[in-house]
Amino acid sequence: MRSIDELIRTISDFPKPGIQFKDITPLLQDAAFCSQWVQDQADILRPLQIEAVAGIESRGFLFGMLLAQALQCPFVPIRKKGKLPAAVYQVEYALEYGTDVLEMHQDALKPNQRVLVHDDVLATGGTALAAQQLIKQASASTVAVHVIIELGFLQAAQRFPEVPVFSGITY
């Protein structure tokens, strides 16, 4: 079986000069690898007794839903402002230049529910921290952060001292 590193493509100077974008599209095209990788990740995560997976829009939905299915628990979408139709919790967070807002349905989680935050990439950690704040607003708890790719040189995992960070691959 191929490795995850073989299935992640690097695109130079995207979306702007100097950026080495890590593209998961080739990974998505290998159904056998994806299926096995999700099962392997679920096996690693299962001891945490996860009761819900919160996937961050939009690429966090792809594997977040698959992980939720493998862990046999609900999937909770965390979306950008204005995309969810019912009452929401909301958190504003800092971007490189400016701010953005994430939202989660208020009825998505139960108090004390054990939640895994999932996204495709962990770069600076701001988005995952915002997701963790939404989960806290729902009186639930984040038990881990899971990503496909961690940009280790940015040291974002250090921003999560209370929960483990699991990465498919670290660059």
Side-chain angles (χ1 to χ4, degrees), residues 123-151:
T124 63
T127 308
L129 283 168
Q132 191 173 22
Q133 290 174 17
L134 288 170
I135 291 163
K136 187 174 183 178
Q137 286 180 42
S139 299
S141 63
T142 302
V143 295
V145 173
H146 182 272
V147 294
I148 299 168
I149 300 167
E150 178 182 349
L151 302 180

Side-chain angles (χ1 to χ4, degrees), residues 5-163:
D5 188 40
E6 295 175 87
L7 293 168
I8 294 175
R9 174 173 49 199
T10 300
I11 308 292
S12 296
D13 299 321
F14 181 84
K16 61 184 183 178
I19 302 293
Q20 297 294 309
F21 184 81
K22 301 299 182 186
D23 179 18
I24 65 168
T25 304
L27 173 64
L28 299 174
Q29 295 169 344
D30 190 326
F33 182 89
C34 283
S35 179
Q36 185 61 55
W37 188 79
V38 167
Q39 289 307 313
D40 292 346
Q41 296 301 297
D43 289 345
I44 291 166
L45 297 166
R46 201 165 276 112
L48 297 175
Q49 300 174 343
I50 294 161
E51 296 173 316
V53 175
I56 301 171
E57 184 173 352
S58 68
R59 290 182 301 259
F61 292 179
L62 300 170
F63 283 93
M65 183 64 189
L66 295 173
L67 284 168
Q69 287 179 338
L71 294 167
Q72 297 181 337
C73 65
F75 175 76
V76 175
I78 293 180
R79 303 211 59 193
K80 294 180 181 171
K81 185 177 180 174
K83 303 255 181 121
L84 294 171
V88 296
Y89 292 116
Q90 190 177 85
V91 65
E92 184 175 0
Y93 66 104
L95 297 169
E96 187 176 348
Y97 299 103
T99 61
D100 207 347
V101 176
L102 286 180
E103 295 179 335
M104 179 182 75
H105 278 139
Q106 289 181 5
D107 62 358
L109 296 171
K110 297 176 184 128
N112 302 314
Q113 201 165 17
R114 299 172 56 81
V115 183
L116 173 72
V117 171
H118 173 76
D119 205 358
D120 64 328
V121 176
L122 181 64
T124 63
T127 308
L129 283 168
Q132 191 173 22
Q133 290 174 17
L134 288 170
I135 291 163
K136 187 174 183 178
Q137 286 180 42
S139 299
S141 63
T142 302
V143 295
V145 173
H146 182 272
V147 294
I148 299 168
I149 300 167
E150 178 182 349
L151 302 180
F153 60 92
L154 294 174
Q155 302 179 346
Q158 294 177 7
R159 297 182 73 184
F160 301 91
E162 297 177 8
V163 299

